[in-house]
Amino acid sequence: MTRGRSDEAQKKRLLTSVCVVALFLVFLYVYYGSKNTGESAIEYGSRSLRKLGSSYLGAEEDKQDESSIKFGLDDGEDGITPKSFPVCDDRHSELIPCLDRNLIYQTRMKLDLSVMEHYERHCPLPERRFNCLIPPPPGYKIPIKWPKSRDEVWQANIPHTHLAHEKSDQNWMVVKGDKINFPGGGTHFHYGADKYIALIADMLNFSNSNLNNDGNLRTVFDVGCGVASFGGYLLSSDIMAMSLAPNDVHQNQIQFALERGIPAYLGVLGTKRLPYPSRSFELAHCSRCRIDWLQRDGILLLELDRVLRPGGYFAYSSPEAYAQDEEDLRIWREMSALVERMCWRIASKKNQTVIWQKPLTNDCYLEREAGVLPPMCRSDDDPDAAWGVNMEACITPYSDHDHKSRGSGLAPWPARLTSPPPRLADFGYSSEMFEKDTELWRQRVDNYWNILSPKIRSDTLRNVMDMKAHLGSFAAALKDKDVWVMNAVPEDGPKTLKIVYDRGLIGTVHNWCEAFSTYPRTYDLLHAWTIFSDIEKKGCSGEDLLLEMDRILRPSGFVIIRDNKSVIEFVKKYLSALHWEAVGPTDSISESSQDGDEVVFVVQKKLWLTSESFRDAE
């Protein structure tokens, strides 16, 4: 009897222990599941999705003849053309494949958080890519049109209000009914970016409190931009800002900027160079951007130096510029010593803002004593290499031309848009070639608008991307339209992005075998000139590119494809699966060019909603 009671008690203890362990495991699953993968309902590489295109071919399939993976067009074969693509889980409505922290968690990447490596690009391998359509969030509406969108957006399109509460005292954004309003405030300029911009202009003694300085200040780099109100309010002064911020704790700030119709890009000052060439910006700006400029021998400040033009400015609004406590004074002394060794001088200092100016020539660099840090960059360093290149703590000297001319030699805006810039000579291009390219794209854009005219009004388009910009002439032809253009230049081609910036335009370097650093549904128009032909030569998947274009294209947005006929036939096979429809002549339009016959094909993305979205909309 005693033994029986003992066994029974032991069984009860065992059962209790099992229950406790089970409850503990359930707690861990719920806690860490919601914390780490709450935004991702599908694991990377999940077999629940069909894998399509050459990027997803298995070992056995790789043995097939090479001709069958070139867009599946040879011999009239349909290949693996789907009637429909799978739809990603609703919680993937904001997926950014190369900036997805779930990928970092799942693949256990060993990254240095102290230098922001986890905010840099880390793209999934082909076998880990999603091959599904990104759904819009519940209740999604066609975005409010520019210029009204600068000040308000639909809350349903970006259903995140934490910034409105977190920054309520700084007037970043305010929730009002079904909309989110943007009063124009920022961390440093609570009462409006316009007044703050006028203050900077006055500090520099520019006429009429206008920061554009009679057209001589055109391109601005705003690092740690928040929701980009600074850049948004610069537009009325004919100043184009590249607003940059990471997908960090304020993770939707760039999404809000683009929804508003303000130029912006996801990125971080970490370990890699910014994706811009040297001497791109007249002004860099940091308003309490929480960046440690002294780290790693000033490497981040030296990266700003690389992208600033001769005589360019750095406007720095931060407690270090005015506060009197011991730590702020220490930082100010060390920053002042660093920029002095970099040959920057204080152009103006007032209240909470200091503006430094970069030298016009190499004279100061040549006069520094031997061994002074930071050193000059090596003579074989290419200052325009900007894709996956590690930053270095060194000063980038000017070219002989810039040194002799005491500046970049650029015309004021808007004349610089069509004036051949001096750096054309770096590519062996003549002024006549530049002017011919400008006129060619003017004619082509006129043709595009004739095709689009039945479908668009003057305010239909705002955010435009030229996926292969070359000299920026496509964007230049849109000067009189109320749009801005993100000019993407291939990472493996001529480094012509510096010509784009010299024309007073903005852009970035990119490789279209990978996803672009932006949120879904951020562009109204994509211009794809021979992009499909280019990635085919690299062995990349055309299906992947179509899905990526669909991801970044807004519902009701347009794609203009200019490529060879086989590419157009390939795209046509996927129209139904992508919910796209042809615009204008369904047989496309053939044009002859110096590169051979090119075909123009225009499509529009339909607005489609998931069942959950329909329920919310009702």
Side-chain angles (χ1 to χ4, degrees), residues 370-391:
V372 170
L373 298 178
M376 303 303 292
C377 295
R378 300 185 312 275
S379 59
D380 61 349
D381 176 72
D382 181 359
D384 299 320
W387 182 255
V389 178
N390 290 329
M391 288 190 293

Side-chain angles (χ1 to χ4, degrees), residues 215 218-219 240 279-280 282 309 410-424 433-439 441-442 469-479 487 496-506:
R218 165 64 181 173
T219 51
M240 182 65 68
R279 310 194 295 282
S280 294
E282 274 95 28
R309 297 196 194 279
L410 299 176
W413 177 267
R416 73 170 61 175
L417 183 67
T418 52
S419 300
R423 290 200 280 187
L424 272 177
M433 294 168 65
F434 175 83
E435 291 162 358
K436 183 178 179 181
D437 186 75
T438 299
E439 175 59 22
W441 282 104
R442 187 195 64 77
H470 192 45
L471 300 180
S473 294
F474 168 83
L478 293 172
K479 177 184 178 295
N487 293 279
T496 56
L497 189 58
K498 57 187 175 184
I499 304 301
V500 171
Y501 275 94
D502 284 355
R503 300 182 77 167
L505 305 168
I506 62 170

Side-chain angles (χ1 to χ4, degrees), residues 43-58:
E43 292 262 332
Y44 278 86
S46 170
R47 295 185 180 181
S48 64
L49 296 178
R50 287 177 293 136
K51 295 184 175 181
L52 308 170
S54 60
S55 288
Y56 303 114
L57 296 175

Side-chain angles (χ1 to χ4, degrees), residues 73 561-573 575 586-588 598-602:
L73 295 171
I561 302 171
R562 175 182 287 273
D563 217 311
N564 62 56
K565 188 172 179 59
S566 63
V567 166
I568 304 304
E569 294 305 315
F570 164 78
V571 173
K572 284 182 179 179
K573 291 166 35 174
L575 292 183
T586 56
D587 293 332
S588 63
E598 291 179 349
V599 179
V600 176
F601 187 54
V602 182

